Amino acid sequence: MKTQSPLFSDPRRRRGRSLRRVLSLLATLLFPPAVPHLLSLRDPGPPARPADAIFVLTGGEGRIQEGYRAWSGGAARELYILGAGVRVPVTRIVPEGSRIPAEALSRIHVEGWSENTLENAFSAKSAVGEGKYSSVILVTSDYHVPRAVLAFRKVLPKEVSLSAIRVRPEGGAGATWRWARRHFLEGWKFWGYRILLRWE
């Protein structure tokens, strides 16, 4: 009985094997970073009752505006803007800052030393301890939520209630590509933080 030489195997079979390899590679690259984002969709939104404090994590478009909007709408008593830079006045950061009454302005706090998500979490831990807060809200970009919640949940006391407000990016040219790239990178950063925080 004659067998066909591998050199003359069916080209359709070879294409099928190549396609399966490509699909396996894509699944290996895309599935892990997608998992944190999919799981974070189950996280509860802000509570119906006002929280003690809102923590805005600077570094993304629209975060400060969204945090201020939530705070001025009564979502929390105190507003913290983390990582805003050293000696930056509130009036330069917060929308309508120059028109905020003095009493309300005293409840807006600007912190300038933290430079990454983990440092943001430790800064928030200090504020939570000083204010004896029991419920806080994070405000950050939607792609950043999984990693931010992971870091804050690890650093803050277990009894502190934690929820998040997701800031959607603006549209425009290239918005879909930016959305995909940010979610991909943040998904892998999440797993890096998972490994890092296991040893903390």
Side-chain angles (χ1 to χ4, degrees), residues 160-194:
V160 174
S161 171
L162 177 66
S163 59
I165 293 176
R166 300 166 177 271
V167 181
R168 309 292 179 186
E170 295 179 3
T176 302
W177 165 245
R178 288 195 303 272
W179 180 92
R181 182 175 61 84
R182 287 167 174 170
H183 279 74
F184 177 79
L185 293 174
E186 274 296 328
W188 282 113
K189 285 181 181 180
F190 171 90
W191 292 114
Y193 261 51
R194 277 296 289 267

Side-chain angles (χ1 to χ4, degrees), residues 55-68:
F55 291 99
V56 179
L57 281 56
T58 58
E61 60 190 32
R63 296 181 188 181
I64 294 175
Q65 292 88 336
E66 187 63 36
Y68 176 77

Side-chain angles (χ1 to χ4, degrees), residues 42-120:
R42 303 183 305 176
D43 295 341
R49 296 177 59 185
D52 293 319
I54 289 174
F55 291 99
V56 179
L57 281 56
T58 58
E61 60 190 32
R63 296 181 188 181
I64 294 175
Q65 292 88 336
E66 187 63 36
Y68 176 77
R69 184 161 41 247
W71 173 78
S72 60
R77 175 169 174 76
E78 307 290 328
L79 174 63
Y80 290 82
I81 301 171
L82 307 180
V86 181
R87 299 191 185 121
V88 180
V90 175
T91 51
R92 280 187 53 197
I93 301 172
V94 175
E96 306 172 12
S98 60
R99 299 195 296 274
I100 299 174
E103 188 280 328
L105 201 59
S106 69
R107 293 186 281 113
I108 301 176
H109 315 275
V110 178
E111 175 268 288
W113 67 266
S114 62
E115 297 182 351
N116 57 54
T117 306
L118 198 53
E119 289 181 354
N120 290 160

